[in-house]
Structure formats: structure tokens, C-alpha cells
Amino acid sequence: HVQLVESGGGSVQTGGSLRLSCTASGGRIKPYFMGWFRQAPGKEREGVARIHSAGSTRYADPVTGRFTISQDSDKSATYLEMTTLKPDDVGIYYCAYMPAPTPTSCTDMLNAACYNTWGQGTQVTVS
């Protein structure tokens, strides 16, 4: 089965940048979606960005223009480049995997309920 490991979190000042990585093992089955989610203390997990194995991407409004999701299939890696970080970006960042077919209710794949495999998360702090 697929396992995901995130890395790259840390503490930065407002306006700084971080690059998160998610490495998959266990053999993902194409086509699939990879998503990045975050969860701040006391809040629900929210979608940040997602990428399809064929390359299409989608972003949540709060991060559009600041975050970039990408992938390197040879390395089984998915990345989240985060720039112009704000205190509102604080949280634990998780990557997630979901092979097709996805539930018909999952129209943009930025809903945590649409994914069935999760990493352990990496902490991002902005001060």
C-alpha cells in the first residue's frame, strides 16, 4: 500500500519561503491526485493545492499566486513551494493521495474527505 512522508517544514518570518516535499512509496496507480492540506490549531483541515498525475493543478484562494504545487514522478515526489508566507499559513501540512476513480462529489479535489492515504504531516510556523 502507498505510504507518504512529508518533510521541509520549519519556522520562518512573515514574507519568507519554504519548500515542502512529499515522498511516496508502495506504488501509486495512475491516474491519481496528490493534495496538500493544512490544519491550524482548533481548525478543520483545509485544502491548499492539488495536482493530477497528468499535471493539472488547482489552488485554494488564500494561497493562489503564493504557493506552487509540482511533482517529480521519477522521484515519486510532490512538492509545495510556499512564498510570501503569512501568519495565517501556520499549521501542520499534510500530503494526501487518491487514485482514480474519485468520488463523484469531489469536483475540485481540495476536500480532505476525497483522499484515502495521508502522511504524518510537517509543521509550518510563521512569525
Side-chain angles (χ1 to χ4, degrees):
H1 63 284
V2 174
Q3 292 183 308
L4 306 174
V5 177
E6 302 95 335
S7 61
S11 181
V12 297
Q13 293 185 335
T14 299
S17 300
L18 281 174
R19 187 192 195 210
L20 305 183
S21 299
C22 172
T23 302
S25 62
R28 294 173 296 177
I29 300 173
K30 291 183 179 180
Y32 58 76
F33 287 92
M34 295 295 298
W36 281 101
F37 292 79
R38 66 187 181 189
Q39 188 165 18
K43 295 187 177 181
E44 293 187 355
R45 192 170 299 189
E46 64 173 354
V48 174
R50 66 85 171 152
I51 188 166
H52 188 270
S53 52
S56 68
T57 59
R58 183 169 291 229
Y59 298 89
D61 288 343
V63 308
T64 298
R66 300 189 297 121
F67 291 11
T68 303
I69 189 171
S70 61
Q71 61 190 354
D72 183 335
S73 297
D74 291 341
K75 296 181 179 179
S76 297
T78 307
Y79 306 104
L80 185 68
E81 189 77 37
M82 306 186 294
T83 64
T84 320
L85 283 161
K86 307 174 182 179
D88 285 349
D89 296 318
V90 167
I92 300 174
Y93 281 68
Y94 301 89
C95 69
Y97 160 81
M98 182 65 185
T102 55
T104 54
S105 60
C106 296
T107 54
D108 62 8
M109 292 302 291
L110 287 176
N111 187 324
C114 298
Y115 292 80
N116 65 6
T117 302
W118 293 84
Q120 84 290 347
T122 185
Q123 176 72 49
V124 171
T125 302
V126 184
S127 59

